[in-house]
Amino acid sequence: MADNRGIIVARSDQDVDSDVVDFDSRRSHLQIDLARNPKHFDILTLHPTALSVDDINMYREETLLSILHGLKVTPRVLTYFYAVSAPGGAPFATAGSYFKNWFPMVASGAYQDVIIYTITSTTFTVKHTIEKFIVDGTTRTSIADQYNIQLKYEILSNEGSSDVTVFDP
Amino acid sequence: MAEPGFIITEEGVDINKAADYEKVVDSRNRIVEVFWEGQIDFTTNIGVPDGYKLLILREHGLGYIPAFEFLWDDSVLDPAFSSNVFVESFSANNKYIYLNYLRVGTTATMRIKGYLRIYAVPITTEYTAPASFTTAKDYNANKRFGIKALRPAEAIKTMSDDQITDYNLHTTAKALNIHKHGLAPVAATPFPQVTIAHNLGYLPTYFCYQFFTEASGAYQNPLNGLDGIQPVVARSAATVNTLSFGGVQSALAGSLAYLILKDPVRLAS
């Protein structure tokens, strides 16, 4: 058994058998492989375009980033989207906004204009999507091209889950 | 008395002079350790549709409220809205991880599938790393010396295994260090706002949760009066020194429990 050996450093005033220790090599921890190419940790500027949807084509998407992660599992991914600048009157994400997991530019009952990510057993993908929810004769055009958006992503060397929706905003 | 611990530096760095960013591991730095993790996949009876219910996903028994995350497998159920179940949130107290749900349809069972990770991080207590540990720098690609520790579950593997996901400790990978965790009170206004000073000098990696207590009231407390946390959905903003969250009414009432991590390497931003 490998779980009966390891390096354990107790926290000050705690016993080494405590659940609260400073280091325990038997436990996994969040980690990033910094030697990977493509990078598993980076900050990039995204370049989404002004996609349009109407009553015929109610959903459109474009891929902004696609990375083959090369891990044997579907990894846990952390993403943070930062609006360096934003268009005047933007209804949701304004300049300085810093969202985890997604970047909502418009999120209303009529339509949604967002940047999201997906992770599979092979690929980390960042997408810009726009979708209409009601047929109202109105063409909706994305304002994404008017933003300067930075993405910080971290592909952890830790297992995640397939087809993930993350409950840790 | 000397402080116990161990330090492993990058190749070529004097251990007596190494800065934090030049270390593979420094046991004095707190890292995001995992107390328990694994796939959860079971089908359970979810009762009659008469209001929100609690379902225990996992007993952790830590005695404190831990940071956690649940990665729902969308192939089984749309976790936000379905014709049968509305999943309100996941939550934690000092003993359990819960799923909070509302049955709205006619099916009496629900399948729950996803990956649960419970961190050995008492997120509602206050901690700030010593300032000397905050710097990051470019990655050092030298790898002639190193250290590896396989995960216990991977004991059948050998140390020549090249999958970093099989290791708890690996020179090539850097552990994410904790910069700060604790509670930040949220002003009780119709549009509450909370700002946390992190002073990292770059935009941080973070986890955040709403912290509720018995005094929060039933409307705001999904654990029926127990102290606990649940992931929070809020508008957020950041600078290189602060992290802010805003919500509406009970969406962000009480306090915010946060966990802010250090970047493992310097990146241009």
Side-chain angles (χ1 to χ4, degrees), chain A residues 136-154:
Chain A
D136 59 359
T138 304
T139 296
R140 303 288 187 175
T141 301
S142 172
I143 57 174
D145 64 320
Q146 300 171 52
Y147 280 90
N148 181 342
I149 306 167
Q150 283 189 346
L151 164 69
K152 177 162 82 170
Y153 70 86
E154 304 169 42

Side-chain angles (χ1 to χ4, degrees), chain B residues 31-85:
Chain B
I31 59 177
V32 190
E33 278 195 346
V34 177
F35 172 74
W36 186 90
E37 64 181 328
Q39 289 281 352
I40 285 181
D41 188 359
F42 63 92
T43 299
T44 186
N45 188 299
I46 55 174
V48 296
D50 65 347
Y52 283 99
K53 294 184 173 66
L54 283 176
L55 176 70
I56 294 174
L57 278 186
R58 179 84 186 178
E59 179 175 354
H60 60 76
L62 283 165
Y64 60 78
I65 300 170
F68 74 99
E69 61 182 359
F70 186 79
L71 310 172
W72 195 290
D73 189 328
D74 284 354
S75 65
V76 173
L77 173 72
D78 178 346
F81 298 97
S82 80
S83 59
N84 195 56
V85 176

Side-chain angles (χ1 to χ4, degrees), chain B residues 16 25 55 189 267:
Chain B
N16 294 311
V25 172
L55 176 70
T189 67
L267 292 172

Side-chain angles (χ1 to χ4, degrees), chain B residues 162-235:
Chain B
D162 62 357
Q163 284 290 338
I164 287 183
T165 49
D166 291 341
Y167 292 92
N168 283 346
L169 187 60
H170 194 297
T171 308
T172 302
K174 282 205 174 182
L176 297 184
N177 287 343
I178 296 172
H179 173 60
K180 190 174 185 179
H181 61 67
L183 294 175
V186 181
T189 67
F191 298 96
Q193 183 86 18
V194 59
T195 297
I196 302 158
H198 59 80
N199 298 317
L200 279 168
Y202 50 82
L203 300 174
T205 295
Y206 69 85
F207 294 77
C208 69
Y209 307 82
Q210 182 184 9
F211 174 65
F212 43 82
T213 66
E214 182 177 359
S216 300
Y219 180 62
Q220 298 168 3
N221 187 330
L223 295 187
N224 300 328
L226 301 172
D227 290 3
I229 59 170
Q230 65 177 354
V232 64
V233 177
R235 300 172 75 116

Side-chain angles (χ1 to χ4, degrees), chain A residues 28-29 76 98 154 159 165, chain B residues 69 74 117 168 205 236:
Chain A
S28 64
H29 52 264
R76 177 72 170 99
Y98 189 57
E154 304 169 42
E159 187 172 355
T165 294
Chain B
E69 61 182 359
D74 284 354
R117 184 174 282 122
N168 283 346
T205 295
S236 49

Side-chain angles (χ1 to χ4, degrees), chain A residues 37-42 44 63 65-70 118-120 122-126 151 153 155:
Chain A
N37 187 19
K39 292 180 179 178
H40 279 199
F41 178 55
D42 207 354
L44 304 169
T63 298
L65 177 67
S66 182
I67 290 176
L68 295 172
H69 56 71
T118 62
I119 181 71
T120 70
T122 61
T123 312
F124 167 59
T125 307
V126 178
L151 164 69
Y153 70 86
I155 302 173

